Amino acid sequence: MTEQPHTAVTIYDVAKAAGVAPSTVSRTFARPGRVNADTAARIRRIADELGYRANPIGQALSTSQTRLIGLMVSDVANPFYSQLIRGAQLAATEAGYEILLADSRESGTRERTALERLVPVVEGFVIGSSRMSDSALRNIAKQRPMVVLNRALLDVPSVVTDNAGGMRAAVELLRELGHDSVVYVAGPEASWPDGMRFRALRDLGTSSGLGVQKVGPFLPTFEGGLAASRVLLERLPTAVIAYNDLMAIGVMHGFLAEGVRIPEQVSVIGFDDILISRLVLPSLTTVAAPMRQMGATAVNNVVALIKGARHRAEEAMAMPVQLKVRGSTGQRRRKRVSPALGTTMVSGSAS
């Protein structure tokens, strides 16, 4: 005798046996408070007799109550995101949610495709360093509650770092160390923080008498910084500010490989304060951002939106930053000619 294949019992089977509509069976398991207690008890008894097992994922998708929050990052391999992800995870767990992580790999097209696929699955989104256009982000925000990180959108809740304040601190340090010019190593063209940082540097340069140049864009990676170093070596600057720490470390590596001394010949500053910035030699001076706090704040805000809160802020929430002065920055050293000896000497300068 051939054994017949097992057929899973569906809500339609339960509904037929109980003499109710399939939607009533669905509500019994998904929203029991909306079904008469006696009816719900009878449906559960019949379901047990038939061997029906509710599918919690299917129920969640049908009611949009998945307890999932989508977290999109532009490059999961970038250490910049590790603390942001951890902060988001801890806040989500405390709120009774889980994080579903997605990686756009620095592609706005890939980011949009992934977000559109996740819309039916998650209750809200946290978007870290988007590479999409403002209009594309707003379109997703119309479908699910959303908080955007490192990007200011007036009509979408946004959390950013104080890019202008961080750049001001970096410029003040370079001026104190006697530097009168700096080269900015740019990151991705689609990066909102990159544009904000360069504009702040350019404006500060004008007001403080600091000469400002820019090279790039480059990938926001170690390899991107290494590529930038080859450009910078053609005309060696005395100071460099890179879009992020990974690029700054790549620049340093490229300089050191060619015998350029840091900070004796070139001072280098990064952004983010990732762990490796404290481990490289010399250690990297950088603008530190509270990434774990940003991740937690974004999740708490999106959970509030999911529960019915309304976005009223007209400006993005700005998180404070702090300049961490380490070994990669130093006094500018100038070459001067001694009138008595007719020889070239190197001296420190604070002018």
Side-chain angles (χ1 to χ4, degrees):
M1 180 176 177
T2 303
E3 184 177 349
Q4 296 297 316
H6 175 71
T7 302
V9 178
T10 69
I11 63 170
Y12 300 100
D13 299 322
V14 177
K16 183 177 180 180
V20 298
S23 59
T24 304
V25 177
S26 178
R27 282 196 300 273
T28 297
F29 291 97
R31 299 179 179 180
R34 297 183 59 182
V35 179
N36 176 276
D38 292 338
T39 302
R42 181 164 57 86
I43 290 173
R44 289 183 183 279
R45 176 178 54 78
I46 292 173
D48 287 339
E49 292 173 356
L50 295 177
Y52 172 74
R53 293 293 178 267
N55 181 350
I57 295 177
Q59 291 172 2
L61 291 175
S62 67
T63 63
S64 297
Q65 295 179 335
T66 63
R67 312 296 289 183
L68 292 174
I69 294 173
L71 173 58
M72 173 64 71
V73 299
S74 59
D75 182 4
V76 75
N78 189 334
F80 166 79
Y81 289 110
S82 61
Q83 289 301 308
L84 187 152
I85 294 170
R86 178 55 55 85
Q89 284 180 324
L90 293 174
T93 299
E94 187 172 339
Y97 285 77
E98 292 294 338
I99 292 295
L100 188 59
L101 183 64
D103 177 10
S104 69
R105 287 173 284 166
E106 295 291 346
S107 166
T109 301
R110 190 175 291 113
E111 178 181 346
R112 183 167 187 169
T113 299
L115 291 175
E116 289 174 347
R117 287 176 177 171
L118 291 176
V119 164
V121 180
V122 302
E123 294 188 44
F125 285 109
V126 172
I127 312 295
S129 301
S130 178
R131 302 299 183 239
M132 289 165 50
S133 67
D134 289 358
S135 60
L137 284 170
R138 290 189 181 98
N139 183 56
I140 299 295
K142 291 176 182 177
Q143 302 175 66
R144 286 288 184 268
M146 174 188 288
V147 174
V148 179
L149 296 174
N150 298 312
R151 178 84 156 266
L153 288 177
L154 292 180
D155 47 355
V156 178
S158 309
V159 182
V160 300
T161 58
D162 184 6
N163 289 290
M167 191 60 77
R168 184 180 304 109
V171 167
E172 289 175 353
L173 173 65
L174 292 178
R175 294 301 283 160
E176 290 171 5
L177 294 173
H179 295 274
D180 53 22
S181 64
V182 63
V183 175
Y184 178 72
V185 178
E189 288 183 287
S191 167
W192 183 86
D194 181 73
M196 294 297 292
R197 289 167 189 172
F198 179 67
R199 281 193 290 273
L201 176 58
R202 184 185 57 198
D203 294 345
L204 288 163
T206 300
S207 61
S208 68
L210 183 74
V212 175
Q213 292 182 315
K214 180 172 78 167
V215 295
F218 295 95
L219 289 174
T221 61
F222 173 86
E223 290 76 16
L226 200 60
S229 73
R230 292 191 281 269
V231 175
L232 295 170
L233 283 166
E234 296 175 4
R235 187 174 181 181
L236 194 65
T238 69
V240 171
I241 298 178
Y243 164 71
N244 67 10
D245 286 352
L246 282 179
M247 297 179 74
I249 293 168
V251 168
M252 289 170 58
H253 185 83
F255 283 172
L256 293 170
E258 295 298 325
V260 176
R261 299 186 306 279
I262 300 171
E264 290 83 2
Q265 290 177 267
V266 184
S267 288
V268 180
I269 299 176
F271 268 78
D272 298 337
D273 193 28
I274 60 176
L275 175 60
I276 196 174
S277 68
R278 285 166 270 171
L279 304 179
V280 294
L281 293 174
S283 56
L284 178 65
T285 294
T286 182
V287 177
M291 299 313 303
R292 181 179 293 209
Q293 185 180 351
M294 285 187 70
T297 298
V299 166
N300 289 334
N301 286 351
V302 83
V303 168
L305 293 171
I306 290 169
K307 293 182 177 180
R310 300 189 67 179
H311 172 57
R312 294 186 178 88
E314 295 182 358
E315 295 183 356
M317 178 186 297
M319 307 292 285
V321 297
Q322 182 180 6
L323 181 66
K324 301 284 189 179
V325 181
R326 301 193 180 111
S328 67
T329 47
Q331 199 76 25
R332 181 188 176 189
R333 302 177 70 85
R334 300 174 183 268
K335 290 185 177 181
R336 63 181 177 86
V337 176
S338 168
L341 302 176
T343 57
T344 300
M345 302 177 64
V346 177
S347 64
S349 172
S351 61

